[in-house]
């Protein structure tokens, strides 16, 4: 029978260690390969779904741009109508405003004159008369409060 020397035991231990290490590395490489395959499939799926989504988003942006152009056109038309209405309003006010005020003042004066005549009421005594530019004397000011 042959005896095993210390060098041979060390060689066997190194060989077993390398076999275990190679086994762990092989398992790690297999798992890494599976992860890479899954990642490749995921990226392909995302790409397949992203392209139609981007096309839809692009169509939505184009549609929004068209709607914004329409709203802009409507807003400019409304602004033009508003300015035309303002011009018409000022024209009507300047054309009819002065004469209408005069007619209203004349009508008020006529009503006031006729209402005083119908009642046959004598004119109010003690009414105040305001004369622009004149001051009231001190004696009249004292009698005012009574």
């Amino acid at each position: 029978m042959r005896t095993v020397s210390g060098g041979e035991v060390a060689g066997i231990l190194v060989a077993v260690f390398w076999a275990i290490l190679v086994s762990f590395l092989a398992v790690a490489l297999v798992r890494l390969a599976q992860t890479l395959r899954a990642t490749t499939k995921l990226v392909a799926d995302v790409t397949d779904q992203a392209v139609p989504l981007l096309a839809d988003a692009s169509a939505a942006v184009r549609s929004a741009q068209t709607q914004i152009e329409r709203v802009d056109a409507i807003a400019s038309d409304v602004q033009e109508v508003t300015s035309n209405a303002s011009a018409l309003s000022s024209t009507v006010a300047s054309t009819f405003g002065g004469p209408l005020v005069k007619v209203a003042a004349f009508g008020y004066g006529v009503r006031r004159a006729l209402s005083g005549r119908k009642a046959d009421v004598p004119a109010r005594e003690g009414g105040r008369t305001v004369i622009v530019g004149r001051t009231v004397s001190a004696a009249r000011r004292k009698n005012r409060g009574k």
Side-chain angles (χ1 to χ4, degrees):
M1 209 168 176
R2 189 173 163 231
T3 61
V4 181
S5 70
E8 291 177 353
V9 172
I12 293 174
L13 283 177
V14 169
V16 169
F17 172 75
W18 279 108
I20 292 173
L21 182 64
V22 167
S23 298
F24 280 132
L25 288 176
V27 169
L29 286 174
V30 168
R31 294 211 177 191
L32 181 62
Q34 289 174 349
T35 304
L36 287 176
R37 270 188 248 118
T39 304
T40 304
K41 184 176 185 275
L42 179 66
V43 168
D45 290 344
V46 167
T47 303
D48 290 344
Q49 292 177 2
V51 170
L53 286 176
L54 290 175
D56 291 345
S58 177
V61 168
R62 278 194 296 275
S63 174
Q65 180 65 30
T66 303
Q67 296 300 326
I68 288 172
E69 289 170 358
R70 287 180 184 169
V71 168
D72 188 38
I74 290 170
S76 66
D77 291 345
V78 167
Q79 184 179 8
E80 185 179 337
V81 167
T82 302
S83 101
N84 289 344
S86 175
L88 180 64
S89 171
S90 64
T91 302
V92 168
S94 65
T95 303
F96 296 114
L100 286 178
V101 169
K102 290 177 184 176
V103 167
F106 177 75
Y108 175 74
V110 169
R111 273 188 287 139
R112 181 83 185 225
L114 291 178
S115 68
R117 290 182 126 204
K118 286 183 183 177
D120 290 335
V121 177
R124 292 189 333 195
E125 293 182 20
R128 295 183 188 174
T129 304
V130 176
I131 301 174
V132 177
R134 294 202 54 199
T135 58
V136 178
S137 67
R140 288 194 70 192
R141 272 188 255 146
K142 287 181 185 176
N143 291 335
R144 227 184 199 178
K146 295 179 182 177

